Amino acid sequence: MATLYDTLGVKKGASAEEVKKAYRKLAAQYHPDKNPGDAAAEEKFKEVQNAYDTLSDPEKRKQYDRFGSTNGRRGPGFDPGGVNFGGGGNFTINDLGDLGDLFGGMFNRGQTGRARPQPERGADIEVPVSLSFEDSLRGLETKIPVEVTTACRECGGSGAEPGTSPVICPECHGRGVISESQGLFALSQPCPRCRGNGTVVEKPCKKCKGSGRERRTKRYTVKIPAGVKDGTRIRLKGKGEVGESGGAAGDLYVVTRVEPSKKFERRGADLLIDVPVTYTEAALGATVEVPTPYGERVSLKVPAGTQDGRLLRIRGHGAPKLGGSGKGDLIARLRVSVPKKLSKKEREALEELQKLSHDDPREALFT
């Protein structure tokens, strides 16, 4: 017949520390919470507990070693279904040692005080704002409508019909948690009726249907700095959705949608513009006027012999540098314009030039 020592897997002369170590290992292995629905494991757990209850008590162990039993009487405070945490028992929660750490989160959670829901930060909101190309360079201040969740104006956010108030939850008696005994352990979880709040609304507000929240459109003033590009995100801290259970509000992100320009192409802080020049201006050199996005004109010197596509830089006439100082550059891309129709004199002049010219632009193709 198996002895209590066999149950714990130790020798009869095992020390108290060896008995405790063996118990911890087997209790962790066969605990009902780790083997839900396994009747054999549950029975084994009770046998292990029974053996430890006897062998961990010096007087009981002495009687067992001498008579093979404890005179037919259970030790004071012993409960076959678990351990009595009241008075008189020899086993305490501290005896679990490492096992207590393993299941520490399940001991007596919610037995005292109220388990309040954890604060949750509100969600961020993203809204677009459309800008002309010129406004993106100048910057502006505008108001934008934003639909957000706020406290119900009818009930003040309580969720209860005006004139009434939330009452103590009858399920958890205001603690916000309910506990369920699992033999050695007491498992706690948020109260399903009040969802951990400790109170319930018996007469919900008709406007918000008890949620305490409503959707409203608010208007916020936002300053859009000069130099924003398409897709620039501007953050308004704390203007997003309200938080849950006292959590901080989320943020509002205003995303710029810049209309493209018909003249200028954005390249970082630089602006590119195509500038047509005549054949003679490109060949002989000239000074031409170039428009800027700010309404003025600037003079640009075209060197003699300029080829189509050449880039010339006009310093400080580009877009404002966002988050920095100064402006980028205006880059002129020269496009040599070839006339589609020629007058008689123009044709004669070009034919004469062709006779005088010794330049062969295709010479490199054959070398």
Side-chain angles (χ1 to χ4, degrees), residues 95-119:
D95 289 328
L96 284 173
D98 295 334
L99 182 60
D101 294 335
L102 179 64
F103 298 102
M106 297 187 287
F107 285 105
N108 295 326
R109 281 179 54 190
Q111 294 298 320
T112 59
R114 172 179 167 186
R116 299 182 181 275
Q118 292 296 314

Side-chain angles (χ1 to χ4, degrees), residues 71-82:
N71 294 328
R73 296 191 299 272
R74 300 291 188 185
F78 181 82
D79 178 5

Side-chain angles (χ1 to χ4, degrees), residues 8-324:
L8 293 182
V10 297
K11 296 180 180 179
K12 186 175 181 179
S15 66
E17 186 60 32
E18 289 174 329
V19 170
K20 183 184 291 187
K21 185 176 180 180
Y23 163 71
R24 291 173 180 169
K25 180 179 179 181
L26 293 173
Q29 180 180 350
Y30 294 108
H31 191 275
D33 288 326
K34 294 189 67 175
N35 304 275
D38 189 340
E42 184 176 356
E43 187 62 31
K44 182 66 175 178
F45 179 80
K46 291 179 180 180
E47 292 175 6
V48 169
Q49 182 60 59
N50 184 18
Y52 180 73
D53 181 75
T54 298
L55 299 182
S56 63
D57 184 277
E59 188 60 30
K60 288 183 181 180
R61 182 173 181 177
K62 184 177 179 181
Q63 294 179 25
Y64 180 80
D65 288 345
R66 185 173 183 182
F67 302 107
S69 69
T70 55
N71 294 328
R73 296 191 299 272
R74 300 291 188 185
F78 181 82
D79 178 5
V83 176
N84 184 353
F85 286 96
N90 293 313
F91 181 82
T92 67
I93 200 71
N94 293 327
D95 289 328
L96 284 173
D98 295 334
L99 182 60
D101 294 335
L102 179 64
F103 298 102
M106 297 187 287
F107 285 105
N108 295 326
R109 281 179 54 190
Q111 294 298 320
T112 59
R114 172 179 167 186
R116 299 182 181 275
Q118 292 296 314
E120 293 185 15
R121 182 180 180 275
D124 293 335
I125 301 175
E126 187 174 287
V127 294
V129 60
S130 296
L131 302 171
S132 66
F133 181 79
E134 291 72 24
D135 282 341
S136 74
L137 300 181
R138 290 191 294 261
L140 78 161
E141 183 176 295
T142 185
K143 287 188 176 182
I144 56 172
V146 182
E147 190 177 77
V148 295
T149 299
T150 63
C152 174
R153 287 172 288 183
E154 190 72 18
C155 65
S158 70
E161 186 69 20
T164 67
S165 300
V167 298
I168 298 297
C169 176
E171 188 79 18
C172 65
H173 306 292
R175 291 188 296 113
V177 294
I178 57 174
S179 300
E180 181 180 351
S181 177
Q182 295 287 334
L184 180 62
F185 303 96
L187 302 179
S188 296
Q189 59 184 356
C191 176
R193 181 164 182 181
C194 67
R195 298 182 180 180
N197 291 314
T199 58
V200 293
V201 175
E202 291 186 330
K203 293 183 178 180
C205 170
K206 293 183 176 63
K207 185 170 185 178
C208 67
K209 296 180 175 57
S211 68
R213 305 292 180 89
E214 66 172 324
R215 299 291 288 178
R216 291 174 56 190
T217 298
K218 287 190 172 184
R219 292 186 176 275
Y220 293 113
T221 299
V222 57
K223 293 182 178 180
I224 299 177
V228 296
K229 297 182 289 185
D230 186 69
T232 298
R233 287 161 57 90
I234 303 170
R235 177 189 178 204
L236 276 66
K237 186 176 181 180
K239 301 300 183 182
E241 298 286 7
V242 296
E244 295 283 350
S245 303
D251 298 330
L252 171 64
Y253 288 91
V254 178
V255 183
T256 56
R257 294 289 178 250
V258 180
E259 297 176 4
S261 170
K262 295 180 180 179
K263 296 180 181 179
F264 302 96
E265 178 185 334
R266 187 80 182 257
R267 291 186 174 182
D270 294 336
L271 298 177
L272 177 70
I273 183 173
D274 284 334
V275 179
V277 293
T278 65
Y279 170 79
T280 54
E281 288 173 333
L284 301 176
T287 298
V288 299
E289 287 189 333
V290 178
T292 72
Y294 307 101
E296 72 262 19
R297 299 180 179 184
V298 293
S299 295
L300 176 66
K301 186 175 182 180
V302 178
T306 290
Q307 302 297 305
D308 182 73
R310 182 173 180 177
L311 301 178
L312 299 178
R313 189 176 293 271
I314 305 172
R315 302 286 181 183
H317 288 275
K321 294 179 179 179
L322 190 62

